[in-house]
Each structure stands twice: as C-alpha cells, then as structure tokens.
C-alpha cells in the first residue's frame, strides 16, 4: 500500500502517460479500476498537468476526505465496525459527497 506522500512526490525518473515519454516530475493523477485483475495508475508530468488541468491524486477532494475519515476512525473510541461517532459520521458523509462529485 502506498502512502499519500508517495503519490504526490515525483519519482527521480518516471513516465508521463499524456505525452508518452520519460519525466522527472510525473505524479499519479488517476487510478483506473478494473473488474478483474489489478487496476492501473496513470501519471502526468508537471507541464502536462498544467496544460490539461490535471490534479494529483493526493490532492483530489475525495482522496483528501477519505484520508481525513480514515485518520479519525483509526483513533476514535466512538467509531467501530458497529457504527460511527458524530464526527466520524460527518466525515463519512463529506467523503461520500466528494466521491459522488468525482
């Protein structure tokens, strides 16, 4: 499992799926889910992100909301498999709205 910072920090050498070439500034901008088999991550370099208005995954609203929700529920005594505290419930609602908008 990758940490949020690993999707945000560019690799010293990477590949940009938009200009289809090597890049030192490529970061993950999309995750393609598949019904069977592994999904695929798509990366874009800084110029391609700027030209196409692409947002790194680590900064997309639904990813930020999901991290906030997970961080809260990991440390909250009122959140469990059986239910959520008021704050956990609100964070889950924020995540769901961001996911629906994505």
């Amino acid at each position: 499992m990758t940490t949020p910072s690993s999707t945000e920090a560019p690799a010293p050498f990477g590949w940009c799926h938009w200009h289809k070439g090597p890049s030192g500034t490529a970061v993950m901008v999309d995750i393609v889910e598949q019904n069977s088999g592994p999904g695929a991550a798509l990366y874009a370099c800084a110029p391609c992100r700027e030209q196409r208005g692409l947002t790194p995954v680590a900064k997309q609203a639904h990813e930020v909301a999901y991290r906030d929700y997970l961080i809260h529920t990991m440390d909250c005594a009122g959140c469990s498999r059986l239910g959520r505290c008021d704050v956990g419930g609100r964070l889950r609602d924020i995540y769901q709205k961001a996911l629906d908008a994505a």
Side-chain angles (χ1 to χ4, degrees):
M1 179 177 215
T2 61
T3 60
S5 62
S6 67
T7 60
E8 191 171 336
F13 174 79
W15 185 262
C16 175
H17 288 94
W18 273 256
H19 78 260
K20 296 180 180 19
S23 170
T25 62
V27 296
M28 189 185 316
V29 295
D30 197 10
I31 301 169
V32 179
E33 301 290 335
Q34 296 183 10
N35 289 335
S36 63
L42 299 178
Y43 293 82
C45 66
C48 287
R49 289 193 311 270
E50 184 176 335
Q51 290 169 0
R52 293 164 177 85
L54 301 170
T55 303
V57 167
K59 294 181 179 178
Q60 293 175 12
H62 64 284
E63 291 293 330
V64 172
Y66 187 58
R67 275 196 308 274
D68 290 346
Y69 171 67
L70 283 181
I71 290 169
H72 170 80
T73 57
M74 288 186 334
D75 295 332
C76 178
C79 291
S80 69
R81 289 182 8 191
L82 301 175
R84 304 282 174 242
C85 74
D86 289 342
V87 173
R90 285 194 300 272
L91 288 171
R92 186 185 183 291
D93 291 344
I94 291 168
Y95 165 61
Q96 189 61 53
K97 286 178 186 174
L99 191 60
D100 291 343

